Amino acid sequence: MSLLVVGLSHRSAPVSVLERAALSADAQIKLLQDTVAAEPAAEAAVLATCNRIELYADVDKFHAGVAELSTLLAQHSGVGLEELTPYLYVHYEDRAVHHFFSVACGLDSMVVGEGQILGQIKDALATAQELHTAGRLLNDLFQQALRVGKRAHSETGIDRAGQSLVTFGLEQLSSGAPADAWLKGKRALVIGAGSMSSLAAATLARAGVAELVVANRTFDRAERLAALLAEQYGQRPAEPDDVDVLARAVPMESVPDELTRADVVVSCTGATGLVLTADLVAEAVEGRTGASAVERAAGSDSGSGSGSVRSGLPPTSVGSEDGCPLDLSAVQGSAAQGSTVQGSAVQGSSGFSVMGEAAVAGMDAATLEQHAAWVDNGTVDRREGRRTPEIDTDAVAALAAAAATLGRVPERRRPEPVAEVPRPLPVLSLLDLAMPRDIDAAVHRLLGVRLVDIESLAEASADAPMAADVDQVRRIVSDEVAAFDAAQRAAHITPTVVALRAMAADVVASEIARLDGRLPGLDDKQRGEITQTVRRVVDKLLHAPTVRVKQLAAEPGGAGYADALRTLFDLDAETVAAVSRADDDSRDHNSAALGGLDFGRENFDSNIFESAENRGRA
């Protein structure tokens, strides 16, 4: 059997595909059950987070395993296999181990170095153990991955390179400012009460928000989370660096009202549809500002068509009106009536330009020339006489050459500066960490609102700096992969060694019984000495071969030593398999007793050999 992983993540698939492929808790359970029921797989575990979906399995055939696992992922995610296949990646045997250990260390996370993935791996293992879909291979793999992840965080500075997705998202909302300083004193709303939402709530509380509201479909869970936050972060002495969070729980029906009071909203639920629509957010902003967020957004777009009004803009040009040949009062009066030229609205004299196009609309040719001369600080009156201008032959030749090259006469008019309409600071900041998304992406278009979601986080994290400790973590991963592979190869031969020692114990017992028949007059002391001597001889004869075969089996290409041992000693294959099954049952029992984390079995191979030797002496 061999380890196989098939999955997709933020590195291989766009957020839109990850969002559609997200697995609910029930879908994960059904996927595990169907995977172990399939022919190629004997064990299975699912690691499903907001930015990855991976199915791990112990398979006996590579190609059949890939086909079966890919089909099951497509079936349970609801995304067609043909659409899903281009985004899937496959890792096998040692490459699968290397990938998983990298994931556990946070090297493959959207925010490099984040430690939250360890809790998600622990949950995935607990689910597989509860459903009895994790056997010896996946139990060893997941438990070792947890150890490798903890080692990476304790021995290196990978924590400096990364942070939780919550912290990274809040920093994006604060536009690069320190999240703690930006959050201090704000009112926060957290939608959801799962692990990610709980992490968000704790992060907000530590940052010193003035108020923290938790909303959840199951009100009891929201109450428990709010009570825990109040206990940990509330009612503390009034010191400069202390926080005093007022935490309370509300039902989901109260979310629209809470939106009108909140400054920051973090949403991460397991809902399959939108939790916050664009209309709901727009109503909340309108309730706070008294202005429609949708209308303000439409009016802010440049070139939105005739009829749009841009009030309060400065004049489009500056200069003195002395000597202007125009009847300014008449022109400005018509401008005040809202005349429109080329789709640009002019409102009143404040936005009127005596040098702009609106000023010369409808002018006769002579007046137009006089106005042009005035604009250029000239004083020629073209209506009294015409002066033949001097021809600049070089300029004409250059103009003709440009026209021949471009196919048109280039415009030389200097564009007038366009006043920028400043976008107001957001009155509502939204962080969507759910997959599929909780908040309508159309919220991006609302003025007064800032939305950061998984998609924007993926774009921002692509340019995030990498810490120097990442290389050290990669070396740790490489070393741990080699050690894990060696341990697995050694473990592969263990049932054969146990069967050999059991056979030797049976031979000793049979010969002692035969000796009792031949020498019935032996007393207990004599019989005991003979028995002990025979066993000691057998142990000494088997010790060196079994230790050496364990060492050889741990090396690359050592899998064949188990077959050689079975052939040399004519061991029954069913006996070896029975030993293996008994050992698996023992390991499952130990893992369950330890709550799914068998951290105390660092030298499990030595323990197995020792127990085998003891069974041989029994």
Side-chain angles (χ1 to χ4, degrees), residues 517-537:
R518 289 186 175 186
L519 301 173
L522 293 175
D523 57 27
D524 293 342
K525 182 179 181 181
Q526 293 171 330
R527 186 182 297 105
E529 286 292 339
I530 294 173
T531 302
Q532 186 66 23
T533 299
V534 174
R535 287 177 175 171
R536 190 179 298 113
V537 170

Side-chain angles (χ1 to χ4, degrees), residues 94-419:
D94 59 333
R95 291 304 305 170
V97 177
H98 189 281
H99 169 75
F100 191 44
F101 286 1
S102 298
V103 169
C105 293
L107 293 180
D108 198 59
S109 297
M110 184 178 294
V111 181
V112 175
E114 59 94 9
Q116 187 181 0
I117 186 66
L118 289 175
Q120 294 165 333
I121 291 174
K122 180 180 177 182
D123 292 341
L125 175 59
T127 300
Q129 288 176 335
E130 183 179 351
L131 296 173
H132 304 289
T133 62
R136 181 174 64 181
L137 176 61
L138 292 186
N139 270 297
D140 289 346
L141 176 71
F142 273 66
Q143 290 167 8
Q144 186 65 19
L146 290 169
R147 285 190 285 265
V148 174
K150 289 186 175 182
R151 179 188 170 191
H153 285 279
S154 63
E155 295 183 11
T156 74
I158 190 67
D159 291 328
R160 294 193 300 268
Q163 53 199 322
S164 72
L165 200 60
V166 173
T167 304
F168 187 65
L170 291 172
E171 287 190 354
Q172 295 302 305
L173 279 180
S174 63
S175 301
D180 288 356
W182 177 73
L183 287 168
K184 197 169 186 64
K186 284 183 167 56
R187 294 185 296 271
L189 169 64
V190 175
I191 304 177
S195 57
M196 182 74 81
S197 299
S198 300
L199 176 61
T203 303
L204 292 167
R206 285 195 300 269
V209 294
E211 181 184 38
L212 185 57
V213 180
V214 181
N216 193 57
R217 296 190 185 280
T218 305
F219 184 65
D220 291 343
R221 295 190 64 182
E223 280 189 318
R224 287 197 297 270
L225 178 56
L228 181 62
L229 292 170
E231 179 181 352
Q232 289 185 332
Y233 301 103
Q235 300 177 355
R236 294 188 175 187
E239 298 180 1
D241 296 332
D242 249 333
V243 295
D244 189 8
V245 177
L246 173 63
R248 57 188 176 89
V250 297
M252 287 294 289
E253 294 76 16
S254 300
V255 166
D257 293 333
E258 296 298 335
L259 277 178
T260 62
R261 304 179 64 254
D263 301 307
V264 181
V265 178
V266 180
S267 184
C268 186
T269 71
T272 56
L274 293 176
V275 176
L276 299 181
T277 64
D279 290 341
L280 183 61
V281 175
E283 290 175 3
V285 174
E286 184 177 358
R288 295 188 63 169
T289 64
S292 173
V294 177
E295 291 179 2
R296 290 165 59 199
S300 68
D301 294 335
S302 61
S304 58
S306 60
S308 61
V309 177
R310 301 174 65 182
S311 59
L313 296 181
T316 56
S317 64
V318 294
S320 172
E321 299 172 358
D322 295 340
C324 179
L326 304 181
D327 184 357
L328 295 181
S329 60
V331 179
Q332 292 177 351
S334 63
Q337 296 173 5
S339 61
T340 303
V341 178
Q342 296 182 357
S344 298
V346 182
Q347 181 179 7
S349 60
S350 62
F352 175 75
S353 170
V354 296
M355 298 183 184
E357 295 179 4
V360 299
M363 241 183 229
D364 61 84
T367 307
L368 183 60
E369 290 184 8
Q370 185 175 10
H371 179 265
W374 173 80
V375 170
D376 293 331
N377 296 323
T379 58
V380 178
D381 189 348
R382 302 284 179 166
R383 289 173 293 185
E384 296 179 356
R386 292 185 177 273
R387 177 167 58 91
T388 303
E390 295 181 1
I391 299 176
D392 187 344
T393 55
D394 293 338
V396 172
L399 184 61
T405 302
L406 301 176
R408 59 182 176 82
V409 177
E411 296 183 7
R412 301 178 64 87
R413 184 176 60 185
R414 179 180 300 173
E416 296 181 354
V418 178

